[in-house]
Amino acid sequence: GESVGLHLPTLSVQEGDNSIINCAYSNSASDYFIWYKQESGKGPQFIIDIRSNMDKRQGQRVTVLLNKTVKHLSLQIAATQPGDSAVYFCAERGQAGTALIFGKGTTLSVSS
Amino acid sequence: DGGITQSPKYLFRKEGQNVTLSCEQNLNHDAMYWYRQDPGQGLRLIYYSQIVNDFQKGDIAEGYSVSREKKESFPLTVTSAQKNPTAFYLCASSPQTGPYGYTFGSGTRLTVV
């Protein structure tokens, strides 16, 4: 079935470094992708999204890259801060009218 | 302020009991969703609804039931048929099931005692 996965379950960085969190997806027909941030005991928060007709999208300190050739999605966080420590999920929409499918998440730990 | 509210935050259930988790939104969103999250896992879809009085099963619907009598409300009932109900339950909403981000509630942690 459709699935979204992540390359690494954990990522540890130093404060001020740039972080890159990767995600592989399996459905080449997916047309919409989102990154969410989830802090412990809370619901996920929207970070940034990208449609399949785009390769890159930038937000404040975050960039999402989409490589449809290899079905790969990445989230780049510039100048990572301790407050960025959380679990990050990618999600995809496989078909019109269906719900988002989430990956297992990457735990980002930022040390100061 | 618009948002999505889940209640209660913590819920304890005895074996064999049904319990209902509440989800209310005032965002005027058409679509609503229920996901289950287990420790160290991603979110798995239980049910979703695109419109009032209509809903679809997700990947793990067995042992759960929902209703959508009002646009604002999408309660989830965890029945006694759900063999392993202890988990973190998340409700979300979106304008439609199109390419839109979801707004999530703060979750309900259900524990079977």
Side-chain angles (χ1 to χ4, degrees), chain B residues 13 34 36 44-47 56-66 76-85 89:
Chain B
R13 191 195 91 171
W34 275 105
R36 169 181 171 142
R44 293 185 291 167
L45 181 66
I46 305 173
Y47 270 99
Q56 287 78 41
K57 292 183 178 180
D59 300 320
I60 57 166
E62 185 176 352
Y64 300 97
S65 66
V66 294
L76 174 74
T77 297
V78 184
T79 74
S80 58
Q82 171 49 237
K83 300 305 180 188
N84 184 23
Y89 290 87

Side-chain angles (χ1 to χ4, degrees), chain B residues 11-102:
Chain B
L11 186 58
F12 297 89
R13 191 195 91 171
K14 292 184 180 179
E15 296 269 1
Q17 281 184 338
N18 292 354
V19 289
T20 298
L21 284 58
S22 172
C23 179
E24 303 276 336
Q25 55 99 359
N26 60 2
L27 298 165
N28 200 32
H29 285 172
D30 286 320
M32 297 186 74
Y33 313 83
W34 275 105
Y35 285 88
R36 169 181 171 142
Q37 187 174 30
D38 293 285
Q41 299 296 311
L43 281 64
R44 293 185 291 167
L45 181 66
I46 305 173
Y47 270 99
Y48 68 104
S49 169
Q50 300 180 67
I51 197 168
V52 173
N53 292 324
D54 187 47
F55 46 82
Q56 287 78 41
K57 292 183 178 180
D59 300 320
I60 57 166
E62 185 176 352
Y64 300 97
S65 66
V66 294
S67 63
R68 187 88 187 275
E69 297 176 1
K70 298 187 302 181
K71 185 176 184 177
E72 300 80 15
S73 178
F74 192 40
L76 174 74
T77 297
V78 184
T79 74
S80 58
Q82 171 49 237
K83 300 305 180 188
N84 184 23
T86 295
F88 190 50
Y89 290 87
L90 287 160
C91 180
S93 69
S94 66
Q96 300 168 25
T97 52
Y100 302 101
Y102 294 177

Side-chain angles (χ1 to χ4, degrees), chain A residues 32 34 36 38 41-44 46 49 51 89 93 97-104, chain B residues 9 33 35 37 41-43 45 48 50 88 90 97-102 104-106:
Chain A
Y32 179 64
I34 307 179
Y36 281 92
Q38 185 180 28
K42 297 183 179 180
F46 174 93
D49 60 0
R51 300 194 183 200
F89 293 96
R93 189 180 79 134
T98 62
L100 292 175
I101 300 168
F102 286 78
K104 288 185 168 56
Chain B
K9 189 171 179 65
Y33 313 83
Y35 285 88
Q37 187 174 30
Q41 299 296 311
L43 281 64
L45 181 66
Y48 68 104
Q50 300 180 67
F88 190 50
L90 287 160
T97 52
Y100 302 101
Y102 294 177
F104 279 89
S106 55

